[in-house]
Each structure stands twice: as C-alpha cells, then as structure tokens.
Amino acid sequence: MEAVCVSAWRGKDKSQELERLATLAGEASAEAASSSAQLATTVPPAPPDLTAGAFFDVDNTMMMGASIFYFARGLAARKFFTSADLAGFVWDQVKFRIGGRENKADIKTHRERALSFVAGRTVEELTTMSEEIYDELMADKIWSGTRALAQMHLDAGQRVWLVTATPIELAAIISRRLGLTGALGTVAETKDGVYTGRLVGDMLHGRAKAHAVRALASREGLNLKRCTAYSDSQNDVPMLSVVGTAVAVNPDSGLREVARARGWEIRDFRTGRKAARIGVPSVLGAGAVAGAVAAGMAYRRR
C-alpha cells in the first residue's frame, strides 16, 4: 500500500513539473513574441481591431510539411551534419506521414538526442541562415488557402501570430516573410548572443501553446473570446479550446473527430486521400524534430 502511495505522489509531482515547464515555455514565448523586433512593419489596411486576433499553427497548417525538416535540409547543405543525420530526419518524416499520430516517447527520444550540430552557434548566425533557408526551401510550401485566411484577419485590422514548436528564431522569420504580426515558438536561453545550453521551460507544444496564447493575450489586451485559432493536430486541442473560434485545417483523424464533436469548422486544402495520408508530413514529425532542434540549439558541449 505504501509503495502505491509513493508511486501516486511521484506521478503527481511529475505532472506538476510538466505543467510548470509548459507554463514557463508559454510565458517565455509570449514575451519573445511581444518584442518589437518581431512586429510586422506593414500597417493593417483596416482600422485596428485591438481586442481580436488569430493564431496559426505552422506545420501542415500554414505550411506543407514540417518547417524544421526543411531547416535541417538547409543546415545539411551547409555541412552542419552528415548525410546519415539527414537520413534520420527523413526516416522520422516517413514514419510520421504514415502513422499520423504523435508519439510522446519519440518526442522525448529526439529531445534527449539534442542535436548538438548547432551547439556553440550564435543567435545571429542561426538567424541569418534561417533567412536563407526559408527563401530556398520554405517559401513555396505555404498553403495558399491558409495564407488567405491569415490575410482575412489582417484585412479586418486584426493581429496574427504563428504558434509552433519550431525554434522562435525560425518562427519569427516565417512570420515576417508572410507579413504577419509575430510568432510564438520554442525559446532557447541565450547569454551574450550565444545559446547557453538550456531551454526556457520546455518546447512549445501541446499545453504550452495554450499557455503562450493566454500569456500573449494578457500582454496585448486581447479578448480570447473574440480570437480564432487554426491547427491540423489533435495535440493543439488545448490551444484551440482557449479561443472563441477554433478551425481545424488539414486535420489529422484525431482533430477531425474532435472538431465534428464540438462543432468546429473544418478546412482542408489538401487534394485527394493519398495526399492527406502520405503527401504531407504530420505535425507529429514537426513536434518531435522541432523539439530536438530547439534542444540542440540549447545544448552545450561539456
């Protein structure tokens, strides 16, 4: 009996710690998103609607496939790691395309591997390369339908943020290239412009996204009941649930089921069943690999 009680307490402590890390990750991401460096330079064509906004997941929602996979390809082309490392990314993508569901054990494994090929790099260096890689590999992967939805909010004078597990540096670049307001992404701690070896909290995934949206809404004076969120993944149900309007975009089977049960709108910009199942990487791959790359950016060789 005593062993059972101890196990239960340990489980409770672990759950509380995960929640603490998710909260910390969300608050750090909101702080980064509020920085003036990320704000779009364009002026909304309509009178500003300051209490309404929109939040878009990136991988398989705003972009075809996983942004972090394209980032890895770009780094491979710049000799950051070997062809064998890139093959590992490809295998991960194949698994996730076919499986269609996120595996928490895989995410943990990827994070623990902590891709040290970016260890010791400066923020400036990674940001410059991210700009180049976006232009080379990502610019033509944006879903035109989802981009139109974002523009609809901008045209209404609303602010639009991306919300993704991808490192904040890359997320901010995607946001700027699309003319959006800013981005919420995984934050790696830095000191004097160099990654220190720690993430701030955890990667921005699952519940952490919901915390980030709430924290940003508080900072920016948003009324979440007047806000809209878009995602393809069941893992983003916490984020979708904190806003007044939730939209499932290119949904996986789990999110499609939740959306139907809750009466959420469903938008699917894919063509054909084959594309839905195989042609577009699931956010599963994005979440796992993004966590690994973010951890790698934070990893410090000892």
Side-chain angles (χ1 to χ4, degrees):
M1 184 64 179
E2 181 179 351
V4 173
C5 292
V6 170
S7 178
W9 275 111
R10 287 178 178 173
K12 181 179 180 181
D13 289 344
K14 182 177 180 180
S15 178
Q16 290 175 339
E17 175 62 11
L18 290 174
E19 186 67 20
R20 186 188 70 81
L21 291 174
T23 301
L24 184 57
E27 291 174 349
S29 188
E31 181 177 359
S34 294
S35 66
S36 59
Q38 281 198 67
L39 298 180
T41 57
T42 56
V43 178
D49 185 350
L50 298 179
T51 64
F55 301 92
F56 285 81
D57 171 55
V58 174
D59 301 303
N60 206 35
T61 302
M62 181 63 74
M63 176 183 293
M64 302 178 196
S67 56
I68 203 67
F69 175 64
Y70 302 126
F71 185 52
R73 283 181 54 193
L75 292 180
R78 289 160 174 78
K79 310 302 181 182
F80 265 57
F81 48 82
T82 68
S83 57
D85 294 321
L86 184 60
F89 278 111
V90 173
W91 171 240
D92 292 333
Q93 288 301 301
V94 170
K95 286 198 303 179
F96 298 140
R97 287 180 184 183
I98 296 174
R101 285 186 180 275
E102 189 162 60
N103 184 312
K104 292 181 180 180
D106 280 341
I107 292 178
K108 184 174 184 294
T109 298
H110 284 297
R111 282 201 57 207
E112 289 176 346
R113 287 170 59 189
L115 305 178
S116 59
F117 53 81
V118 287
R121 304 284 182 171
T122 66
V123 174
E124 181 180 6
E125 183 181 12
L126 263 295
T127 298
T128 297
M129 282 186 291
S130 295
E131 297 269 7
E132 297 171 355
I133 293 169
Y134 176 84
D135 292 335
E136 294 169 6
L137 300 174
M138 302 183 197
D140 62 347
K141 302 298 191 301
I142 303 299
W143 289 107
S144 59
T146 310
R147 180 68 186 84
L149 291 174
Q151 189 61 48
M152 175 186 70
H153 289 280
L154 294 173
D155 290 343
Q158 299 176 9
R159 289 168 289 174
V160 178
W161 286 271
L162 301 178
V163 189
T164 174
T166 290
I168 189 67
E169 293 81 3
L170 179 58
I173 288 166
I174 298 171
S175 173
R176 287 199 297 270
R177 286 290 200 267
L178 296 178
L180 308 181
T181 307
L184 295 156
T186 297
V187 178
E189 183 184 78
T190 61
K191 182 177 181 180
D192 299 327
V194 178
Y195 296 103
T196 67
R198 294 177 292 272
L199 292 181
V200 180
D202 207 339
M203 71 180 199
L204 200 73
H205 181 262
R207 292 174 297 176
K209 284 189 177 183
H211 287 301
V213 168
R214 290 193 189 97
L216 185 67
S218 177
R219 286 173 173 270
E220 300 294 324
L222 297 171
N223 179 351
L224 286 176
K225 292 182 179 179
R226 299 192 63 235
C227 291
T228 307
Y230 300 82
S231 179
D232 74 297
S233 173
Q234 182 179 12
N235 299 295
D236 285 340
V237 168
M239 177 183 75
L240 294 169
S241 299
V242 303
V243 298
T245 303
V247 182
V249 176
N250 306 327
D252 60 24
S253 59
L255 180 58
R256 186 178 294 274
E257 183 177 339
V258 172
R260 286 172 174 167
R262 299 191 184 186
W264 292 346
E265 182 180 357
I266 297 175
R267 298 289 190 100
D268 202 325
F269 302 117
R270 300 165 296 190
T271 57
R273 180 64 177 170
K274 182 177 181 180
R277 292 186 64 250
I278 300 177
V280 181
S282 162
V283 76
L284 168 56
V289 182
V293 171
M297 293 172 68
Y299 185 72
R300 177 172 54 196
R301 292 185 187 276
R302 298 179 184 272

